[in-house]
Amino acid sequence: MAATAQGANLLEKALGHGDNAVVEQDMTNPSRDREKYADPSGEKMKALVWNGKNSVQIVETFKPKIIGDKDVIVKVTGSTICGSDLHLLHGAVVELQKGDILGHEFCGKVDSVGPAVNGLQPGDRVVASFQIACGECMYCQRKLSSQCERTNANTIENIMYGGRTAGMFGYSHFTGGFAGGQAEYARVPYGDVNLLKLPDDIPDEKGLYLSDVLSTSWNCVVDTGVKEGDVVAIWGAGPIGQMCAEMSFMQGAKRVIVIDGGPAAWRLDLVKEKTPKVETLNYTDLPRGTSVTSKLKEMEHGGPDVALECVAGEYAKGWAHYFELMLGMETDTSEIVNEMITSVKNYGRCGITGVYVGFTNHFNIGSLMERGIRLIGNGQAPVHLYWQDLLKKIQDGSLDPTIMLSHRVDLSEMDTLYQKFDQRADNLQKVFVQTKFSDPPAEGTPGLISWK
């Protein structure tokens, strides 16, 4: 994986970026060019950086400065860790470079604004979308912000995918090379497009998750077409799977079955505790000869109507895919997608929201075609399409993000958090990461813990 990432960096350098981007690319740490990217005050900040495969580190680097007229510098008051961050930790996403600041979910207070920014001023509380949109291109006009045409000039992504996604915070040079928000400050290009003001009645512990997890879960459910009376099966009981279960019921699902197991099996109990209507399936407890597919068809005649993939493609279950991944013969395993396809009813719907980055082997295209299965790539969720409506749902009490919130830690211990989260240790579900700028914990949310 490390060799692949390095090779991709060299290939991108040889090919050169496209000419479509209107924002600065490959600015993943102000220390890479202090004169160009660092605040002239010389102020330092703490940040979490990628340090090579399976290694992250808290470092001291420079506070970023405004480099574009529509930039906003945000004082970060809350960030978090996501299952997608583990793909970076493992080196599964190409074009990472040592010293890249990670983190695509964050909220904070406006510190300073560029001269062309409208509607924001220092002191405003805001949450950032994990994607960076220009607000003007074809996709942005339709609020499909995750597919913005003008914020990611990466050539390899364009070749691999036949098109580019938007730029994304803290998610490698493959998505534009932007410094992330697991830091004390973050630069937000097109700040008046990519920041949403948080009202006073929404604490950071709720508003933060509009950045990604809530929009991603909602997109998974509505894009896959969950409707009244559906039986829904969800692979993965992490925060996305948990919120997909909650939101499936909001959309009228009759039954929701959440599947997980192995070292993450404890998450099934957590989801059941928070949403008692959920049914759970622990695949590690299945008797010999019983598969996830056969168990689901036993639980529901013909299988579920809808299957939602909330795990990702880098986790092999069988030896064939384990060695193919290790040898670079595929980038993603097809095992969970195949389980979904074979589990749903004929003409069932399968949505993929877990991250898949490249190519897979042994895909069951026969079942897909012969049984009329609808396989839907939900894409990187277009946060701007949903976040205002989701904010209203939080305000009226119909959506409570804190049901997934399990811990609060300090940014200074985020390197430890990565390792524990990767191990599925300490019952870590969704974590609020505070900085020196954070307010005290909101009422009813976890207090600060420390592993020191």
Side-chain angles (χ1 to χ4, degrees):
M1 285 289 188
T4 302
Q6 184 60 28
N9 281 316
L10 294 172
L11 180 59
E12 181 71 27
K13 187 174 182 180
L15 293 171
H17 286 336
D19 59 2
N20 60 300
V22 293
V23 290
E24 185 83 12
Q25 305 283 286
D26 301 313
M27 202 293 281
T28 54
N29 190 324
S31 291
R32 295 200 187 283
D33 189 332
R34 179 179 175 183
E35 184 175 338
K36 188 175 182 180
Y37 300 131
D39 190 86
S41 68
E43 183 178 348
K44 299 286 189 71
M45 70 172 185
K46 290 178 184 174
L48 187 286
V49 301
W50 190 74
N51 200 38
K53 184 177 178 181
N54 295 324
S55 176
V56 291
Q57 183 180 2
I58 294 292
V59 301
E60 189 177 74
T61 185
F62 291 100
K63 172 185 175 181
K65 74 175 182 180
I66 289 171
I67 58 176
D69 286 350
K70 292 184 76 66
D71 284 356
V72 172
I73 303 300
V74 172
K75 226 180 250 187
V76 177
T77 57
S79 66
T80 187
I81 187 171
C82 171
S84 298
D85 290 319
L86 297 182
H87 310 317
L88 300 174
L89 176 68
H90 302 153
V93 177
V94 297
E95 293 193 68
L96 280 160
Q97 296 177 16
K98 287 186 177 181
D100 287 352
I101 298 174
L102 304 185
H104 57 277
E105 301 173 83
F106 60 96
C107 65
K109 295 176 181 176
V110 172
D111 182 68
S112 58
V113 301
V117 172
N118 296 310
L120 291 173
Q121 59 186 9
D124 285 345
R125 293 180 58 240
V126 291
V127 59
S129 63
F130 73 86
Q131 59 234 209
I132 300 163
C134 73
E136 299 168 352
C137 71
M138 172 181 71
Y139 293 113
C140 287
Q141 287 176 13
R142 294 157 59 191
K143 296 290 187 183
L144 301 178
S145 48
S146 59
Q147 309 302 324
C148 176
E149 297 176 296
R150 303 170 68 211
T151 57
N152 179 13
N154 188 274
T155 297
I156 291 177
E157 187 185 52
N158 193 42
I159 293 170
M160 281 181 64
Y161 296 163
R164 298 178 177 92
T165 64
M168 298 178 194
F169 289 108
Y171 217 75
S172 89
H173 299 258
F174 191 66
T175 61
F178 295 91
Q182 290 170 355
E184 291 175 331
Y185 290 95
R187 181 182 71 92
V188 180
Y190 282 85
D192 49 10
V193 176
N194 298 300
L195 294 169
L196 179 69
K197 282 187 183 180
L198 291 176
D200 291 341
D201 61 340
I202 300 297
D204 285 353
E205 290 87 347
K206 292 184 178 180
L208 166 63
Y209 303 110
L210 292 164
S211 189
D212 178 2
V213 58
L214 295 179
S215 297
T216 294
S217 302
W218 186 250
N219 182 63
C220 179
V221 169
V222 300
D223 189 54
T224 314
V226 175
K227 63 183 187 302
E228 189 80 29
D230 276 342
V231 176
V232 180
I234 298 172
W235 273 254
I240 298 289
Q242 181 181 5
M243 295 314 298
C244 280
E246 189 75 14
M247 291 170 173
S248 292
F249 284 125
M250 290 169 64
Q251 289 295 94
K254 180 173 65 176
R255 299 175 67 190
V256 176
I257 304 163
V258 180
I259 303 141
D260 213 322
W266 60 265
R267 303 191 301 192
L268 294 169
D269 295 329
L270 183 147
V271 172
K272 181 73 173 175
E273 177 191 342
K274 299 294 184 179
T275 308
K277 291 186 292 183
V278 160
E279 301 168 61
T280 60
L281 195 169
N282 184 342
Y283 65 79
T284 48
D285 286 346
L286 293 175
R288 191 176 186 86
T290 301
S291 65
V292 170
T293 293
S294 64
K295 185 63 179 177
L296 285 170
K297 290 183 183 292
E298 176 188 317
M299 294 173 73
E300 171 67 22
H301 179 69
D305 302 286
V306 178
L308 304 178
E309 203 283 17
C310 302
V311 184
E314 70 159 301
Y315 303 107
K317 293 174 75 175
W319 287 110
H321 285 280
Y322 174 83
F323 285 113
E324 287 171 6
L325 286 167
M326 185 174 66
L327 296 171
M329 297 168 67
E330 63 177 0
T331 59
D332 304 275
T333 172
S334 60
E335 290 161 293
I336 290 176
V337 177
N338 284 341
E339 277 186 357
M340 292 163 61
I341 289 169
T342 57
S343 294
V344 293
K345 289 180 174 70
N346 293 2
Y347 294 103
R349 307 181 301 284
C350 300
I352 302 177
T353 278
V355 172
Y356 287 70
V357 297
F359 302 93
T360 189
N361 300 327
H362 316 295
F363 175 66
N364 194 344
I365 195 170
S367 179
L368 183 82
M369 182 270 153
E370 298 288 352
R371 299 174 55 237
I373 308 303
R374 272 59 176 160
L375 182 62
I376 301 161
N378 300 128
Q380 297 288 352
V383 172
H384 298 185
L385 184 62
Y386 303 122
W387 62 354
Q388 289 177 323
D389 286 340
L390 290 169
L391 175 59
K392 290 176 184 176
K393 291 180 189 300
I394 297 173
Q395 287 181 297
D396 69 23
S398 59
L399 178 63
D400 181 9
T402 64
I403 66 170
M404 62 180 168
L405 184 55
S406 61
H407 293 74
R408 183 187 185 101
V409 302
D410 192 80
L411 176 66
S412 61
E413 296 190 55
M414 196 156 198
D415 48 354
T416 302
L417 173 60
Y418 262 77
Q419 302 303 326
K420 288 186 174 290
F421 196 70
D422 188 33
Q423 298 160 6
R424 309 291 192 270
D426 294 4
N427 290 2
L428 292 161
Q429 182 74 335
K430 200 63 178 174
V431 180
F432 185 90
V433 179
Q434 69 174 33
T435 73
K436 65 182 181 182
F437 301 122
S438 301
D439 292 329
E443 185 178 354
T445 66
L448 183 68
I449 66 159
S450 174
W451 290 294
K452 290 181 179 177

